[in-house]
Amino acid sequence: MTTSTIEIDQLAINTIRTLSMDAVQEANSGHPGTPMALAPLTYSLWAKFLNYDPANPNWMGRDRFVLSCGHASMLLYSVLHLAEVSKVDADGNPIDGPAISLEDIRNFRQLVSPCAGHPEFGYAAGIETTTGPLGQGLGNSVGMAIAGKWLAATYDKPGYELFGFDTYAVCSDGDVMEGIGCEAASLAGHLKLSNLCWVYDDNEITIEGRTDLAFSEDVAGRFESLGWSVITVEDANDLGALEAAYAKFKSTTDKPTLIIVKSIIGFGAPNKQDTSSAHGSPLGDEEIKLTKENYGWDYDKFTVPDGVLEHFRSTVGKRGSDSYAEWTEKFSAYKSEFPELATQLEQMQANELPEGWESSLPEFPADAKGMASRASSGKVLNSVCGSIPWMIGGSADLAGSNKSNNDAPGAGDFLASDYSGKNFHFGIREHAMAAASNGMSLCGLRPYCATFFVFTDYLRPSLRLSSIMHQPVLYIMTHDSIGLGEDGPTHQPVEHLAACRSIPGVLVMRPADANEVSACYRAALSDKKRPSVLVLSRQNLPTLEAASTTDAIKGAYVLQDCDGTPDAILMATGSEVQICVEAAEKLTAAGKKVRVVSVPCWELFDEQSAEYRESVLPAAVTNRVACEAGIKMGWEKYLGAEGSFVGMDSFGASGPFEELYEKFGITPDAVAKAAS
Amino acid sequence: MTTSTIEIDQLAINTIRTLSMDAVQEANSGHPGTPMALAPLTYSLWAKFLNYDPANPNWMGRDRFVLSCGHASMLLYSVLHLAEVSKVDADGNPIDGPAISLEDIRNFRQLVSPCAGHPEFGYAAGIETTTGPLGQGLGNSVGMAIAGKWLAATYDKPGYELFGFDTYAVCSDGDVMEGIGCEAASLAGHLKLSNLCWVYDDNEITIEGRTDLAFSEDVAGRFESLGWSVITVEDANDLGALEAAYAKFKSTTDKPTLIIVKSIIGFGAPNKQDTSSAHGSPLGDEEIKLTKENYGWDYDKFTVPDGVLEHFRSTVGKRGSDSYAEWTEKFSAYKSEFPELATQLEQMQANELPEGWESSLPEFPADAKGMASRASSGKVLNSVCGSIPWMIGGSADLAGSNKSNNDAPGAGDFLASDYSGKNFHFGIREHAMAAASNGMSLCGLRPYCATFFVFTDYLRPSLRLSSIMHQPVLYIMTHDSIGLGEDGPTHQPVEHLAACRSIPGVLVMRPADANEVSACYRAALSDKKRPSVLVLSRQNLPTLEAASTTDAIKGAYVLQDCDGTPDAILMATGSEVQICVEAAEKLTAAGKKVRVVSVPCWELFDEQSAEYRESVLPAAVTNRVACEAGIKMGWEKYLGAEGSFVGMDSFGASGPFEELYEKFGITPDAVAKAAS
């Protein structure tokens, strides 16, 4: 390296550091220490390796950069600014202006700025995922690497390598301690994701003090046991060693890579470096002054010195733009040779589904015996997967129980030995499964994942992030109530419908029969912006004569009615709809006029017009009963002051499900009585 | 070993196997394969090593046996039956009769039987914890081992070793794959818990097929990296190797032990062993017949052959009863020498707190500036920890932010080098923290654990189990709303109050000021059967003149009132109470009669008499407004049909908290307008 190369390297690194320090100080809030420590490794990656075109930040073939330690957000904002990443429009296409301006950085952590406290997907181009809750970014990065492998195996053709992209994730102690990070690491090692590189900031500091207070394991040894290639860089400021580490990652073809970088938090701050006090608070004006002296930094705050932008332009900018041009040319030739595949990729990129996919949604004839909604879900899933080639997913070791397998000939298993498979074996790792699904979705796929409904608790932080990031991940959750029977209280969801409905922006759907299942798939897959949780029974449900595939997508509808104004309205979801139907028979026999309303999805119903809602639940009818094998919370909004509820108010029990329904009083008689 | 020893060993092992097969078949539901595989290691442990007195199953000094793979519940029920573990009364004292009778086993998975599908704590003596959700038992076992170390360091005296007990946990692939299991393993290794032994059933089978579909890591290598001693037993039927492994564990004094046992699921079933089909379904009558032939088993179903009960009596029974007698004698001498300490242990065992502990609850003078409720929580916590010596706990690396440190001189850190410390550094492992707290609570301690409120999502499965098991674990959850400000949406709880309230049997408390904090601690600690979640602010809250420490424990009370019937009732929790107070001022100035109700805990209020509830929220006053910086779900029950809600219906944003309250319209003006 020439002196001037070293100088510009150092100038760029110190620009990242000082922008970060200044922004945190200006906001009087934030985390300066980690950006200061990790500026060299981030710079080295962006300037020397990352295949990323700042002018086309949503290019499908780009390398992904994930900042899993989201609290170090200024590191990301600084580099996005210096690389001059372009703003994008609502469809993700580049438009004039920077994704992150200097003004945005000055307004770090203010409402007017896209530079939120933690990186928020959608706030600015270049933020590949929302991070902050530790370990999530690692799970996302595994999903992105999976997407890269699957896209390459499925769409690359000889002479057309379109999806050789790599995924990098920068992570902290918290990320590698969190259970989700452990699960993600184990899964990535198992799948031999050689396109995945984690860079671990080993600074030996946590919020409570030195890491050895709580964390003394041999991280390198652990990752080697998980099947990773591990490289240690002894000094975070050693650019040569960092470059060698990245180069080794690039040349490793049979496993993921962990680069452990020994760093000093708050590097250069004479009184705060290497202490917890550099982690989560502004350094203070005096310490910033001393730090800048240490760096030999003689500029006003928020200065990007001459030459730095040009340098980024001539490195990552030039490399990315050449690569993008080459890719685009290649894709254009690919398009003539493989028009169908190219169209699929364009649809994926535009967040669209193949035209006419809805025609694959099956309809089911009425059938008193019926089938479990997990079983009809399996049938519908297999149909729609056939018409949406990039709808892929799997279960956390419960595929048979969840009926979540894609049985199409050739769908196959996604394995280290065959990345073209569509069925994922996530292992008993619900949390990493959901986080990886978010990563897959962020790469344009339409992923689904499956487990028992009660275990939404195990993946809840990732479900929340599906919603925060507007990712339409499909959660196929079976065994949805005491109806699962003998497995008992630990496996019986009671509060989970309420808990899932409580998360803003999640469609929680509990279909009453096979046709409603089909309708719920239609609603879930049509929604480009919201995750859906399909809540499905273990036990058989009759396929109802009256269930409607068109009305069900309105969230609630009149399943069966009486002449004139009803004396009572009975409402239910899922398996309890049949209970209300039977209660209605009893009430009708006793001379009452009864309406039965099926409510597969609250969120969709609440979005309907006031007229429609009034037509289903007329204000004049105050005698209402809701029946659901879960807690009452939230049903009050449909019940009004005089309505009553038949359901659970405690955990369940272990026994045959018919006996459990009797024991907990969820019966046609109880509903009929409540309505009388 | 003599021939007859070998014969009785084998007879006992096959009794466990056949009881398990028969019970699953009779129930037509359950998991036979793992009990069949693990009968030898369970038998070996109970017959040769476990320090456990079946006649006194709640003896404080006993070794703990945790079946983390709870689906193998018949393994546990069989051994509890064969060891003739005694029934206990509601206080946990032994009474006549078996904890698990043969009749109970015949009724496996039926409502009449304590033999639930998965082991349920409290259903029968000898079930040390509720398991089933994978990994939880491992987390519990770490808490039990921690309790053992802490009790020994705190109460043992020269000549009086009272707490040398060991904790064993039997676990499966799922347990060691789950993130919580990974966190628990890392924590146990860090803390060098030499009193902890995990026995890992390495059967190479998961529900979806061979484990290599999803799990190919070097488990031994991983655990060695985590600081564990690892022993491999190549054949689950090799009693000599099993005994050598347990003996090696007993002699290891500086680290926890993992015994990896290579087993064959469904051992002995000619057509089903070593396949997934032996996992979760009855074997079928024909396969059972063939298996019994294989075992040389010629008895009717549900038979315990002559000699087996006697053999258990003469091994674990005799050893345990001698050990119990010795311990009791020792304790009696200890009691004369250290009466105060002995009393503490007796109170712990009886689930009581020291007399007069409530007098340590501080009161706070009214103060307009006030303090954050996390800060007043810190003060109250320090006071009560001073009067309850076995109240210990810590944070998931946020002690400074959670104000959860016990600052008493001598409280110290719980470290591998000093197990007498009362402050736990759980690391960035929320899930294992909560599961370990359950384990500590099951050993009689009163643990607390702390993190940001939004991260209740990370520990939710363990919180649910605190409630299922009636363990009064205290969850200190700070940074409770958009009031935390700049950290943004990922860190701002919005749905978490609803989500926590949705779990049956959890006290969710959101105090409005320092005195309500004190009241909430009183209510939480007085409750012997329910976990409490304290929801606390980051920002300052005024200490109100009117807040009541006595009324607050009723869950809701009139904070300030008007003359005569109110025109409006304003309700709120936590930081929003002050907003309602200000709204009331505005309304009063406009000539309205207004009542303000503070609602620190729904669950406690709902338990009050109808009279009290009517006195706080008179049915006649229908103009009601509730204000809470979370979602509306559930408030409907207090609002009635005409009430309105001021709160959140979306995720938050990143900015100074005062601006966020304005942005989301949670202001005195909005409340006053809603009430007008």
Side-chain angles (χ1 to χ4, degrees), chain A residues 3 88 477 496:
Chain A
T3 312
V88 298
M477 302 284 126
H496 298 77

Side-chain angles (χ1 to χ4, degrees), chain A residues 109 118 134 178-179 183 186 190 208 212-214 216-218 225 425 429-430 458 464 487 492 495, chain B residues 109 118 134 178-179 183 186 190 208 213-214 216-218 225 425 429-430 458 464 487 492 495:
Chain A
R109 289 183 161 237
H118 295 79
L134 291 172
E178 287 284 4
E183 292 180 5
S186 174
H190 172 74
E208 292 185 359
D212 61 9
L213 269 179
S216 52
E217 67 185 53
D218 168 13
S225 305
H425 299 279
R429 306 182 185 101
E430 296 83 6
Y458 272 69
R464 184 175 208 251
D487 274 345
Q492 291 163 354
E495 73 275 26
Chain B
R109 290 186 160 234
H118 294 78
L134 291 171
E178 287 284 3
E183 293 179 4
S186 175
H190 172 73
E208 293 184 359
L213 269 179
S216 53
E217 67 185 54
D218 168 13
S225 303
H425 299 279
R429 307 182 184 99
E430 296 83 6
Y458 272 69
R464 184 174 208 253
D487 274 345
Q492 290 164 355
E495 72 276 26

Side-chain angles (χ1 to χ4, degrees), chain A residues 27-29 31 109-111 115-120 123 130-136 173-175 177-180 182-183 186-187 189-191 206-209 211-222 225-226 395-401 413-415 424-431 454-455 457-458 460-461 464-465 467-468 486-499 501-505 602 631 633-634 636-637 640-641 649-656 659-660 663, chain B residues 27-29 31 109-111 115-120 123 130-136 173-175 177-180 182-183 186-187 189-191 206-209 211-222 225-227 395-401 413-415 424-431 454-455 457-458 460-461 464-465 467-468 486-499 501-505 602 631 633-634 636-637 640-641 649-656 659-660 663:
Chain A
N28 196 25
S29 164
H31 302 78
R109 289 183 161 237
Q110 308 305 306
L111 284 172
C115 299
H118 295 79
E120 299 286 342
Y123 280 31
T130 295
T131 52
L134 291 172
Q136 298 292 333
D173 295 311
D175 291 293
M177 292 169 87
E178 287 284 4
I180 180 177
C182 300
E183 292 180 5
S186 174
L187 181 59
H190 172 74
L191 291 173
T206 65
I207 295 176
E208 292 185 359
T211 45
D212 61 9
L213 269 179
F215 190 51
S216 52
E217 67 185 53
D218 168 13
V219 174
R222 165 155 66 104
S225 305
L226 301 178
S395 168
D397 196 41
L398 290 168
S401 299
D413 287 336
F414 183 89
L415 301 170
F424 286 74
H425 299 279
F426 288 109
I428 304 160
R429 306 182 185 101
E430 296 83 6
H431 204 171
V454 80
F455 297 138
D457 280 352
Y458 272 69
R460 191 170 168 86
R464 184 175 208 251
L465 281 162
S467 179
I468 287 187
E486 292 87 348
D487 274 345
T490 56
H491 283 55
Q492 291 163 354
V494 170
E495 73 275 26
H496 298 77
L497 281 162
R501 287 169 180 152
S502 75
I503 306 174
W602 290 11
I631 62 164
M633 184 185 273
E636 296 91 342
K637 68 177 169 184
D649 59 4
S650 68
F651 296 110
S654 173
E659 293 179 29
L660 293 174
K663 174 183 166 72
Chain B
N28 197 23
S29 163
H31 301 77
R109 290 186 160 234
Q110 308 305 307
L111 283 172
C115 299
H118 294 78
E120 299 286 341
Y123 280 31
T130 295
T131 52
L134 291 171
Q136 298 292 334
D173 296 312
D175 291 293
M177 290 170 89
E178 287 284 3
I180 181 177
C182 300
E183 293 179 4
S186 175
L187 181 59
H190 172 73
L191 291 173
T206 64
I207 295 176
E208 293 184 359
T211 46
D212 61 8
L213 269 179
F215 190 52
S216 53
E217 67 185 54
D218 168 13
V219 174
R222 165 154 68 103
S225 303
L226 301 178
S395 168
D397 196 42
L398 290 169
S401 299
D413 287 335
F414 183 90
L415 301 170
F424 286 74
H425 299 279
F426 288 109
I428 304 160
R429 307 182 184 99
E430 296 83 6
H431 205 172
V454 80
F455 297 138
D457 280 351
Y458 272 69
R460 190 171 170 86
R464 184 174 208 253
L465 281 162
S467 179
I468 287 186
E486 291 87 348
D487 274 345
T490 55
H491 283 54
Q492 290 164 355
V494 169
E495 72 276 26
H496 298 77
L497 280 162
R501 286 169 181 152
S502 74
I503 307 174
W602 289 11
I631 62 163
M633 184 185 273
E636 296 92 342
K637 69 177 167 182
D649 60 5
S650 69
F651 295 110
S654 173
E659 292 178 27
L660 293 174
K663 174 183 166 71

Side-chain angles (χ1 to χ4, degrees), chain B residues 320-331:
Chain B
S321 122
D322 290 351
S323 183
Y324 176 75
E326 193 192 326
W327 194 94
T328 309
E329 197 184 313
K330 211 190 290 175
F331 185 71

